[in-house]
Amino acid sequence: MTELLEILSSVIMGYATPLKDIHKEFAKRVLIPLHKVQGLQNFNTQLLTCMKNFLEKDKALGVDLILGLLKYWPITCPAKEVVFINEVEEIIDTIGSEADKNFNRFGPKLLYRLVQTAQNMHYQAAERALLLLNNDLIQKLVKENLKVGYPIIVKGLINANRGPNQHWNANVNTITMTVMRAYMELNREMFEQLSNQS
């Protein structure tokens, strides 16, 4: 599979812009479903390279790729969740302003998923989700879409960090508090309102 994806990556680089609909459909109907395959960790680097090559041709495709990843999110496999989180971060980094323009299409779903993963009993998946929530890219998206994005993160993290809900791993709890502090500084008034509601 790795060799095939390496060849495919070169082919994608040769596509003319704007991308034809058939090429976009290929990305959505072939590359994204490949994330379901067992053994993804053996070829995820090459798969991500193919996806990034598509994004270099058409950044708007990034939203569809994120929605596809959310559709196939590996809820019961923390190691795979880490791979997905890394890919989402790369995609958002690559598409830049497209993420801002299309936040309503993918943002709420992504933030809900990241908050849920941040509560995962597997500490590596939880840490990785929290670190992405604390990432400048995500914070910028949330700041620009405050009414929608901010409550999802703040309420989720407050509920996750209360009493018996606290994570078993001390490091995850420390990172959760760091992320909460960052969001509190983003908008203190809104943070306090949401804290009182939770």
Side-chain angles (χ1 to χ4, degrees):
M1 182 64 87
T2 54
E3 294 85 1
L4 184 62
L5 286 169
E6 284 170 4
I7 293 167
L8 181 59
S9 177
S10 299
V11 171
I12 296 165
M13 286 173 60
Y15 286 164
T17 53
L19 282 176
K20 294 180 180 174
D21 287 343
I22 192 167
H23 295 148
K24 293 178 187 178
E25 286 301 309
F26 177 81
K28 292 184 230 176
R29 294 179 187 248
V30 177
L31 292 185
I32 291 296
L34 277 176
H35 288 83
K36 294 190 298 186
V37 176
Q38 274 190 329
L40 173 66
Q41 64 276 10
N42 297 326
F43 59 86
N44 71 297
T45 304
Q46 291 80 10
L47 183 56
L48 179 58
T49 302
C50 287
M51 289 171 45
K52 284 172 73 175
N53 287 346
F54 266 113
L55 295 177
E56 293 298 325
K57 303 286 181 184
D58 184 358
K59 293 192 184 316
L61 191 56
V63 174
D64 294 315
L65 296 180
I66 291 172
L67 288 170
L69 287 172
L70 290 168
K71 179 180 177 184
Y72 296 117
W73 200 271
I75 296 166
T76 58
C77 183
K80 223 171 167 182
E81 276 189 292
V82 172
V83 170
F84 275 52
I85 292 168
N86 291 337
E87 286 193 28
V88 165
E89 185 173 25
E90 289 269 356
I91 292 169
I92 290 174
D93 190 35
T94 304
I95 65 175
S97 63
E98 279 299 319
D100 296 340
K101 285 190 265 180
N102 292 288
F103 180 82
N104 287 333
R105 278 188 61 207
F106 76 93
K109 291 177 189 172
L110 175 62
L111 295 178
Y112 275 119
R113 175 53 53 209
L114 290 174
V115 167
Q116 287 177 331
T117 304
Q119 297 167 42
N120 193 312
M121 284 295 106
H122 193 281
Y123 74 95
Q124 287 174 322
E127 277 183 14
R128 192 63 191 88
L130 286 164
L131 292 174
L132 183 54
L133 286 171
N134 206 29
N135 181 303
D136 291 341
L137 296 166
I138 296 292
Q139 285 188 13
K140 182 175 176 270
L141 281 174
V142 171
K143 191 174 186 176
E144 291 170 7
N145 299 277
L146 211 58
K147 287 184 179 177
V148 178
Y150 195 80
I152 294 170
I153 295 173
V154 173
K155 281 183 173 179
L157 293 179
I158 287 171
N159 291 333
N161 211 37
R162 283 223 168 111
N165 294 336
Q166 275 197 331
H167 202 277
W168 64 268
N169 184 286
N171 197 37
V172 170
N173 288 324
T174 302
I175 298 171
T176 301
M177 293 307 291
T178 303
V179 174
M180 284 174 63
R181 200 171 304 115
Y183 280 93
M184 182 178 69
E185 289 169 11
L186 200 63
N187 190 319
R188 282 184 184 274
E189 186 182 329
M190 201 169 177
F191 187 90
E192 285 173 21
Q193 287 172 359
L194 292 167
S195 298
N196 294 334
Q197 290 172 15
S198 295

